Amino acid sequence: MTVAITPSSPAAAAAMLTRAREVIRLNIAALEALDGAIDDSLGRACDIILGRPGYLVVTGMGKSGHIGGKIAATLASTGTNAFFVHPAEMSHGDLGMLRKDTTLLAISNSGESRELRDPLIFCQREGIPVIGMTQRPASFLARNSAVCLTMPQVAEACPNNLAPTTSTLMTLALGDALAMVLMDRRGFSAEAFGLHHPGGKLGMSLQSVRDWMGDRPAAPATVALDAPFSEVVSAITEGRKGAVAVIDADGTLAGIVTDGDVRRAFTRDIARLVAADIMSANPKVVGSGARMSDVIDLMAQNKISNLFVTEDNRPIAIVHIAELMQAGYVS
């Protein structure tokens, strides 16, 4: 079904663009105000979180809850054990998720959301520290927080000053700042980040070669240095990776023979050739602990399709570009 769309008049289009830019400028101003308002309370909040063995539970109502869900996800993916719980659900049994070793991060722009009262009273009774995030330092939330992360009071971009816009942006930015400071304090590495992101291109690039190989990597095809040409061709064909490892008598890697090397060998007397005659010595290799993104960069920089994984200079697996493309590591 085709829907006819009537274009706006030039004046209406210009007015919409002006309004959109005004909203963006208001958001920029809100972030600048937040930048000037951040104080040592953020550090004290981090100290509390880092000093507690249990989870950081994030809660908030309405738009604050949506932002809280994102903050919890960011915290969890960057080294801080966190999850989001809806405050209304807490009043109907989910307060049991607040164990004595947890910390509560409660978000409310006004600080007076009635759904937060039960969780806050429960935390006071059970001695669970609360980190509040609000614009109002005299609110019920702020008064019941061990540390209050107070945001500046700025006008919403909504013309009625009602729909949460600048306030949710500030909350999101403050949550990101908290997560990144905690990440730095924990020394959370890219490898650890990759463990939490096994899916998608980002997660795959952060995996190690060991992760890619699995617990039973297929052994690469190998031939001896003096293997005749026909044996080299058979080994490449059977290995189905477009290359074969040439190994010394002690099993260490001496070189590599690829499909291209075989084709080029046909300009010579193949009846007299052995693996050592056509191999490329000192091929590029990686260890099983290498990051997959580095492996892909190494293959791209050297314009190679195959790369051996070695341990003690012995080939234990082979990385082939076609497999990486099939698995989604390379697009």
Side-chain angles (χ1 to χ4, degrees):
M1 178 180 178
T2 303
V3 179
I5 300 176
T6 303
S8 302
S9 67
M16 288 188 287
L17 186 60
T18 298
R19 176 57 176 151
R21 287 175 170 159
E22 179 187 8
V23 172
I24 291 172
R25 286 195 296 271
L26 287 169
N27 279 324
I28 292 172
L31 290 177
E32 289 176 342
L34 176 64
D35 178 44
I38 288 180
D39 56 23
D40 61 0
S41 60
L42 188 136
R44 288 187 283 117
C46 289
D47 289 339
I48 290 174
I49 296 169
L50 291 167
R52 302 281 291 174
Y55 281 85
L56 175 62
V57 180
V58 184
T59 192
M61 191 66 195
K63 302 301 185 292
S64 292
H66 294 308
I67 297 298
K70 188 275 179 186
I71 292 173
T74 299
L75 287 161
S77 68
T78 54
T80 298
N81 294 326
F83 61 89
F84 178 84
V85 182
H86 196 285
E89 298 293 342
M90 288 190 185
S91 298
H92 295 273
D94 285 359
L95 281 173
M97 296 182 181
L98 294 174
R99 304 184 315 185
K100 289 186 179 294
D101 62 351
T102 59
T103 305
L104 182 68
L105 172 60
I107 305 170
S108 171
N109 187 37
S110 67
E112 300 291 349
S113 297
R114 63 180 181 272
E115 292 86 357
L116 287 180
R117 289 184 169 259
D118 287 343
L120 293 175
I121 293 170
F122 177 84
C123 287
Q124 287 291 337
R125 185 172 66 241
E126 297 297 315
I128 297 170
V130 175
I131 297 168
M133 195 177 289
T134 180
Q135 282 192 6
R136 301 185 183 281
S139 62
F140 184 81
L141 170 57
R143 296 196 308 273
N144 286 274
S145 297
V147 174
C148 184
L149 303 178
T150 305
M151 297 174 290
Q153 295 187 33
V154 297
E156 300 287 6
C158 168
N160 299 316
N161 199 33
L162 295 174
T165 47
T166 54
S167 60
T168 51
L169 181 63
M170 286 194 300
T171 304
L172 179 62
L174 186 56
D176 283 344
L178 179 68
M180 294 302 100
V181 172
L182 287 168
M183 184 178 180
D184 292 344
R185 289 278 300 273
R186 294 182 190 278
F188 196 74
S189 66
E191 286 73 20
F193 188 86
L195 288 175
H196 293 181
H197 295 75
K201 189 171 290 294
L202 171 62
M204 295 171 75
S205 69
L206 291 169
Q207 289 179 1
S208 69
V209 174
R210 186 181 298 105
D211 296 328
W212 171 80
M213 292 191 304
D215 58 348
R216 292 184 179 179
T222 61
V223 294
L225 283 163
D226 58 356
F229 182 79
S230 59
E231 184 180 333
V232 173
V233 174
S234 295
I236 293 176
T237 303
E238 293 173 5
R240 305 177 68 177
K241 296 292 182 71
V244 63
V246 183
I247 57 174
D248 288 320
D250 62 359
T252 57
L253 183 65
I256 183 174
V257 179
T258 66
D259 284 334
D261 295 323
V262 169
R263 289 193 296 271
R264 287 184 288 272
F266 278 101
T267 62
R268 303 159 65 182
D269 184 2
I270 60 175
R272 296 177 179 274
L273 294 178
V274 296
D277 297 325
I278 59 174
M279 74 177 189
S280 298
N282 302 315
K284 300 293 182 183
V285 300
V286 293
S288 60
R291 195 181 298 171
M292 287 303 296
S293 58
D294 295 333
V295 170
I296 294 166
D297 288 345
L298 181 63
M299 296 177 76
Q301 291 165 7
N302 291 277
K303 299 180 180 179
I304 55 178
S305 301
N306 302 278
L307 194 64
F308 287 115
V309 183
T310 60
E311 285 184 4
D312 298 325
N313 201 30
R314 288 174 168 76
I316 60 171
I318 183 171
V319 181
H320 191 276
I321 190 66
E323 292 180 334
L324 296 181
M325 293 177 68
Q326 185 178 17
Y329 287 92
V330 180
S331 57

